Structure formats: C-alpha cells, structure tokens
Amino acid sequence: MKTDALRLGSKITLLPVIHGSGDFSVAVRRLMLEQSFDCLAVPLPPSFQEDVETAIERLPSITAVIQSEPRETWSTEWTPDSDQEDDDEVIPPVSYVPIDPCQPVIAALRIALQERTPRAYIDLEVEQFDSRGTVLPDPYALKTVSLEQFSAAVLPTIPPLPEGQPRQRVAKMAERLRELETRHESILCLCSVTDWPWIREAWHERRPVDAETADVEETQICRVAEQTLLFLLGELPFITGLYERARYELDDDENLSIDGIKAMLLAARTRYREDFGNRARKISPHMLRTYLRYVRNLTLVERRFTPDLYTLIVAAQQIAGDQFAIHLTETARSYPFIDDLAFPQIEMGIGRVQLPDGTVVPAKSRLPGPPVTWRSCQLNRQPQQQDKEKWQMQWNPFRQCSWPPEDVAIERFRTHVKDHALRLLGNDLARSEKFTTSLKDGLDIRETLRNWHTGDLYVKVVPPSRGSLDCVLMLFDSPADPREYPWRITWHAEHHDESTLSFFATSFQQEVVGPGIAMSTYGGAMFLFPPRPIPDVWKDPRFDFTDTMEERLLAAACHHSNERHIALLADGPPGAGWRRLAKRFGKRLVHVPLAHFSQETVQQLRMFHVLNGRQVRSYAAHFIRHA
C-alpha cells in the first residue's frame, strides 16, 4: 500500500483515523502487517500509558481507563452568600480512554504490544481536557477507496482548530514527532482525521509549544457494566464481539460492519423464537429481505452507508413489531466476553459516567468519535416478573370479558372462512356441458382436452350455492393436548354483530401482561352466528360421549347448527370418524384448509386477551402488544 500522501518527511507515516470505527481498525491492522515500523505514536498523553497497556492485555474484556481532573481547577470562588461546605461538594469531570477492540488506536497498540514495538504517547498533558467530536463520512467507504483517497476527500470539510488547548495539543504532538525522528527510522503516528492537516502544518512550521506540562491526577482502570457498553464502544457490542471472535478463530473480518448486522438479525430471531415459542411471528427470509431493504433506504436518507442502532430498531418495529425490535435491541447490547475482572465497576452514559462510589459526573472521551445524541423510539416491552405476580394476585375470577378490537378481527376472519366454505360448496356442485351458445362460467379446459377427438368444446356451469352456514369450527392445533389447553368455556355475544363462542385455549392466568389484562391462545373454537343462547358446551352432558376436545366442539356444532353444512377450518381434511359423527346429526362438513390463509395472520388471531372487567378496556391498549 502506497502511503506517500500520508508521509511526514522520510520517517513518519501520519495516519488519520476515525475513532471507534471497526473498518478503520481493520485498515490500521492491514497497514501495520504490510509495512514495518519501529515506533508507534498515539494521540494520548504519557500519564495514560501504563494503565492503557495493562488494560489492553485484559482484552477481550472491555474496560476503561479514567482520569479525574484536578479538584482545585473546578473549585468555585468564595462569595459572602456561599458556604464552604458547598465548595467541598464540587466533583470534577473525568476523561477516559475506552479500551475498545474497534478503536483504531487501541487496535494499533495491541499489535505493537504483541510485536514488542516501542510506543510513544505524544499528546499534551492537560488538567481540563477539551473533547471535540464532529460528524464525519461513513468509514465503510474504505472498502472501495484507499486511506489516502478517503483522507483527501475529507480534507476540505475539516474546520480550523480553535485557539487554546486544541492548537497547543497539535503543536505538542508535532514537537514529539520531531523528537522521535532522532531515535527511530520508521514511525507510524495515528491521529484523528480532524487533527491530521493541522499536525502536518505544525510539523512543517516547527511551531513552538508555549504550554507547560500540567500536573494531572493518576489514572485508574475500571470495568464497564455490561448493560452500558453501548455508550462506550464505537461499534455495537454484538458486532464488537464478532470482531473479537473472528480474531480468535482467525476468520475474515473485512466486512463485519455489514455482515455483522445480518448475524445480529439471525441471533435476535433465535432469541425471539425461544422467548415467544408458537406465539412468535414467522420471521421469514422474505420478511428479512424487506426489512434490510427498508434499513438501506432509511440509511441512505441519513446519508450513510451503514445503519446505526436507531435505524435498525425503527425498521424492526415497523416490519416485525415491538417485541422483535426489543429482542434486536437486547441482542445488539450483548457482548459475549464478559469477565469479572478485579477492577471497580463504572456505568457509562452519553457524556456521563457513574463512578464506583455511585457519583454521576460528566465524562469526556480521549478518543472521541462522531457525536452521539438521544433519539426517542417508543417500544412496549414485557412487564417485569414481580409486576406479573402482583397482577395475578389482584385478579377477580368472577369478572372477565374480551377486548373489542380482537373481537372484530376474529369475527372478520370467521366471515372470511364462511365465504370460503360457501365457494367450496358451490364448486362441489359444478358440472361440465357442451358449448352451445354461451361460455357460462368459463371454458372447462380439462373436459375439452379429454374430448379433443370429438372436436367439441366444454364449459363450466356453477349453480348458485344452496343454503347458508351459521356455524364455523376452527381447529388451530389438532390433535390438541388437553394439558396445554386447560381453559374451556362458552362465551355469549355482547351484541348482535358477535358470535356465540365456545373454545379451548391456554390458561390466561399464567400470562398476565397488565393490571387486569391476561393473554391466552386459541387451540380450537366454534362460532355460531347469528348469536343465540346455548348451554356451556363443556358442561353439557349431551356431549359426554366424545373423547377429545375437538370431537366435543364438533358434536356441539352439529347439534346447535340450524344449517346442513358446517365449515371446518383445519390443517387436514376430517377423518372418517368425524364424518360419521356429523352424519349422525344429519350434517356435512365443508373442509377449509388452514394453508389457504396467511400463517402469520392466523398466528396473530389465535392470541387474544382477557380483561378483568369492562372498565379495563379504557386503558388496555397501553399494555396489549402482539409478538
């Protein structure tokens, strides 16, 4: 790789990087393996060297090296209205170095330590660090352009450095590089893209350094709470873990910034299925393809090549629902290499850190990447276990009703199944006849080919369906395990647009999702429309001759139906035993295959909520969520 555009004199390669970028870490590693350097210079002050290198040896466990700013620089001036005790409460901010495998500086130091290459920490020691982050192009461009081309393209957008500490730090780094030239023949110096042209300028101008070295506090190594790694690492914790796994297994990690997102989606889908089981939506390859296309469009709208976490979560919420978006969030936050190191623990935030003693103070990164801001995304998450137990204890067993939006959805589906059964009933009465003057209901291709030798054409004649259907039987899980569906009940309609409903379902008492709100899943259901009062099917002794829950519903449907035909929605056609049972009541079953309907839609319709009284309907929408 040619790096003439990045050279300073004959001995220094000045490499601008974007902090917190896995793609830049890979590029830095490639450069250090392709070329030989006898010194590595990094933009950190000497006071951090010992603890940073000690923490790097603990990788892949993530830590941070923190340094408090001197308390006296933050003490307030005394006034007559102030109290001396208030001055003692002033807690200064901290600056920190994230020991992140995807930080280019950390990746370079890691290689230098392994190769025993001398390291030089060339930044200026300051009492109050001024952290400056700026919006930069997406580092994924390095997949198609070289480091020189990337740096040259960014150069016109780099703003001038303000007076004060930023210029003093640049001058100090240039001075330290001139000192290193006297002792080394090939030096690799990493710096931020925003400092790169000004270090070059200061090196050529040999600008004097007018800042004195400050007396700073000692540094400290701290392990970072797993749930807050998202605020410390440049890449998502899950993708950072993939980089570390690839390093350990010697796999290719050139495209992990994109391939890692695909792996994260598959891992989130697995966790989602394990959590919800049969209630989970079917995250099919087609849905994932639609999701990735949507993510790409949102990313391009924000003028990026790779999506951020917010884009991934918003797309997941709109394509697959809140619960999958929550599982994707938890997967993105997970990091596989968590060890209980003998260091005090801190918790990170955006511009904040909670110290081991519980104090929350402002925090500034010594390797600042692009600025991070809060963006809101409302997700309805699962309730805590202690809340579920509380709601279970408060449940009144003598008050229960349904949730109207789900009633409307299942009634529409019942109507759809009935219409489908009527069409099938009409198809059974269809016949073929020779074409004379009208095509009737269309040309019968099969019969015409069968009589091709006669030269006659045959057309279809489908007579109008006779009768109607007032009973629809839906068997979602057959054969059903009685232990899985212990709840069996008959519900009467609240108004004339609802059916009389008998069903068997899972126990709603085991799945309380809100105060007075529980969830259950249909195993099978019988709908009578128009509604009419009937005895509880499950307690009616007239159906005690049946052996299974499906047969009991079938017998009740045959008994209470006023029409000759009964629509049966099931996976497979009814067997001989069920047909004999229907014939016993003088009925005929019209089988509607369950495969004719969207499995995702059916799965969502099977899940319904039970409310502990009609007053719960006023707030139920806040707690009800589908997988």
Side-chain angles (χ1 to χ4, degrees), residues 24-59:
F24 260 99
S25 298
V26 172
V28 169
R29 183 190 64 196
R30 187 188 307 116
L31 176 64
M32 295 185 69
L33 294 178
E34 289 178 352
Q35 299 187 26
S36 177
F37 300 98
D38 59 6
C39 181
L40 171 67
V42 294
L44 293 173
S47 59
F48 278 89
Q49 180 167 1
E50 182 178 354
D51 279 345
V52 165
E53 295 183 355
T54 300
I56 288 176
E57 294 175 352
R58 301 298 192 275
L59 286 173

Side-chain angles (χ1 to χ4, degrees), residues 190-202:
L190 302 186
C191 67
S192 172
V193 170
T194 57
D195 293 336
W196 170 55
W198 316 118
I199 294 178
R200 292 180 62 93
E201 180 183 276

Side-chain angles (χ1 to χ4, degrees), residues 391-539:
W391 296 331
Q392 285 176 342
M393 294 177 60
Q394 295 174 345
W395 189 274
N396 184 350
F398 301 103
R399 301 177 64 182
Q400 60 186 32
C401 62
S402 60
W403 194 46
E406 292 175 340
D407 295 339
V408 173
I410 196 68
E411 288 295 338
R412 287 177 178 174
F413 185 65
R414 176 199 60 79
T415 303
H416 191 41
V417 172
K418 184 193 75 170
D419 294 341
H420 198 87
L422 289 175
R423 287 195 297 270
L424 293 176
L425 187 61
N427 291 338
D428 292 341
L429 302 176
R431 70 179 188 275
S432 298
E433 62 181 31
K434 287 185 179 181
F435 168 75
T436 54
T437 58
S438 172
L439 287 176
K440 299 296 178 74
D441 292 303
L443 188 65
D444 190 339
I445 300 296
R446 180 178 298 177
E447 195 65 25
T448 299
L449 292 177
R450 187 178 292 118
N451 296 276
W452 185 261
H453 61 283
T454 65
D456 296 325
L457 297 178
Y458 284 79
V459 295
K460 290 181 180 179
V461 179
V462 182
S465 59
R466 300 175 182 176
S468 181
L469 292 173
D470 66 346
C471 183
V472 176
L473 183 61
M474 302 182 186
L475 299 179
F476 300 107
D477 187 4
S478 181
D481 186 350
R483 295 167 297 182
E484 187 175 351
Y485 301 101
W487 187 35
R488 300 149 200 174
I489 196 171
T490 298
W491 275 355
H492 294 94
E494 292 188 48
H495 49 79
H496 65 278
D497 290 329
E498 286 186 352
S499 304
T500 299
L501 173 62
S502 293
F503 61 87
F504 59 90
T506 58
S507 175
F508 66 89
Q509 297 175 344
Q510 303 301 320
E511 193 67 30
V512 179
V513 299
I517 307 169
M519 189 177 68
S520 183
T521 303
Y522 288 119
M526 179 194 71
F527 296 82
L528 287 175
F529 187 85
R532 68 206 72 165
I534 62 172
D536 188 353
V537 167
W538 305 101
K539 298 178 181 179

Side-chain angles (χ1 to χ4, degrees), residues 155-465:
L155 185 59
T157 66
I158 299 176
L161 289 178
E163 294 291 340
Q165 184 185 118
R167 288 184 177 271
Q168 294 172 359
R169 291 178 53 227
V170 162
K172 180 64 176 180
M173 285 189 275
E175 180 186 72
R176 290 282 287 125
L177 286 176
R178 289 193 296 269
E179 293 177 3
L180 292 174
E181 279 185 301
T182 63
R183 304 195 304 269
H184 301 281
E185 295 298 324
S186 179
I187 303 168
L188 173 63
C189 177
L190 302 186
C191 67
S192 172
V193 170
T194 57
D195 293 336
W196 170 55
W198 316 118
I199 294 178
R200 292 180 62 93
E201 180 183 276
W203 186 86
H204 285 291
E205 294 180 355
R206 297 184 176 271
R207 187 182 306 160
V209 181
D210 56 359
E212 297 181 357
T213 302
D215 185 13
V216 296
E217 300 287 337
E218 294 184 356
T219 58
Q220 180 184 18
I221 303 176
C222 296
R223 55 188 174 93
V224 183
E226 181 181 5
Q227 66 271 18
T228 64
L229 284 176
L230 185 66
F231 302 104
L232 178 81
L233 302 178
E235 302 286 353
L236 295 176
F238 182 87
I239 294 180
T240 303
L242 293 181
Y243 275 103
E244 284 299 282
R245 182 176 290 111
R247 174 188 177 88
Y248 177 77
E249 298 177 356
L250 301 180
D251 286 341
D252 182 20
D253 59 358
E254 287 287 337
N255 294 304
L256 273 184
S257 55
I258 293 297
D259 293 342
I261 294 176
K262 300 176 184 177
M264 185 171 64
L265 284 175
L266 297 179
R269 182 178 67 174
T270 300
R271 295 177 59 170
Y272 171 68
R273 288 175 174 175
E274 291 175 352
D275 190 8
F276 284 93
N278 294 332
R279 297 188 288 111
R281 292 189 181 185
K282 185 179 180 181
I283 309 297
S284 63
H286 177 73
M287 178 181 286
L288 290 178
R289 179 183 178 185
T290 304
Y291 168 80
L292 291 173
R293 186 185 301 115
Y294 187 31
V295 169
R296 178 201 63 189
N297 294 340
L298 291 178
T299 304
L300 293 178
V301 166
E302 296 188 354
R303 300 181 180 181
R304 291 180 54 86
F305 292 138
T306 55
D308 58 5
L309 180 61
Y310 178 80
T311 300
L312 295 172
I313 300 308
V314 167
Q317 180 187 29
Q318 299 186 14
I319 297 295
D322 282 15
Q323 298 310 309
F324 180 72
I326 290 173
H327 282 77
L328 181 59
T329 305
E330 297 300 327
T331 303
R333 290 171 46 182
S334 63
Y335 183 72
F337 306 105
I338 299 295
D339 294 327
D340 190 14
L341 301 177
F343 299 122
Q345 179 174 282
I346 59 174
E347 295 186 7
M348 302 297 302
I350 297 181
R352 294 289 186 273
V353 61
Q354 181 175 336
L355 300 177
D357 60 0
T359 306
V360 178
V361 298
K364 297 172 283 189
S365 175
R366 290 278 181 165
L367 302 175
V372 180
T373 58
W374 290 105
R375 303 174 73 177
S376 61
C377 179
Q378 183 176 358
L379 297 174
N380 292 326
R381 62 182 301 123
Q382 294 275 43
Q384 299 293 330
Q385 183 62 32
Q386 58 184 4
D387 293 332
K388 290 184 179 181
E389 295 175 356
K390 175 183 176 182
W391 296 331
Q392 285 176 342
M393 294 177 60
Q394 295 174 345
W395 189 274
N396 184 350
F398 301 103
R399 301 177 64 182
Q400 60 186 32
C401 62
S402 60
W403 194 46
E406 292 175 340
D407 295 339
V408 173
I410 196 68
E411 288 295 338
R412 287 177 178 174
F413 185 65
R414 176 199 60 79
T415 303
H416 191 41
V417 172
K418 184 193 75 170
D419 294 341
H420 198 87
L422 289 175
R423 287 195 297 270
L424 293 176
L425 187 61
N427 291 338
D428 292 341
L429 302 176
R431 70 179 188 275
S432 298
E433 62 181 31
K434 287 185 179 181
F435 168 75
T436 54
T437 58
S438 172
L439 287 176
K440 299 296 178 74
D441 292 303
L443 188 65
D444 190 339
I445 300 296
R446 180 178 298 177
E447 195 65 25
T448 299
L449 292 177
R450 187 178 292 118
N451 296 276
W452 185 261
H453 61 283
T454 65
D456 296 325
L457 297 178
Y458 284 79
V459 295
K460 290 181 180 179
V461 179
V462 182
S465 59

Side-chain angles (χ1 to χ4, degrees), residues 52-165:
V52 165
E53 295 183 355
T54 300
I56 288 176
E57 294 175 352
R58 301 298 192 275
L59 286 173
S61 297
I62 303 298
T63 55
V65 178
I66 65 174
Q67 183 182 69
S68 297
E69 296 184 357
R71 182 179 296 270
E72 54 270 14
T73 62
W74 286 89
S75 60
T76 57
E77 295 183 1
W78 183 88
T79 62
D81 297 331
S82 66
D83 188 356
Q84 183 63 33
E85 294 180 358
D86 295 337
D87 297 340
D88 297 337
E89 296 297 327
V90 176
I91 301 176
V94 299
S95 61
Y96 66 92
V97 175
I99 309 303
D100 177 2
C102 292
Q103 278 281 1
V105 172
I106 301 302
L109 285 171
R110 197 175 186 181
I111 296 174
L113 286 169
Q114 293 174 346
E115 300 295 330
R116 301 186 184 279
T117 303
R119 288 85 54 200
Y121 290 63
I122 62 174
D123 203 353
L124 178 67
E125 295 281 11
V126 293
E127 293 180 341
Q128 297 183 17
F129 179 71
D130 181 15
S131 181
R132 300 172 60 251
T134 185
V135 178
L136 295 168
D138 197 319
Y140 188 74
L142 290 177
K143 304 302 178 186
T144 56
V145 301
S146 65
L147 285 167
E148 298 93 329
Q149 292 172 323
F150 186 92
S151 303
V154 175
L155 185 59
T157 66
I158 299 176
L161 289 178
E163 294 291 340
Q165 184 185 118

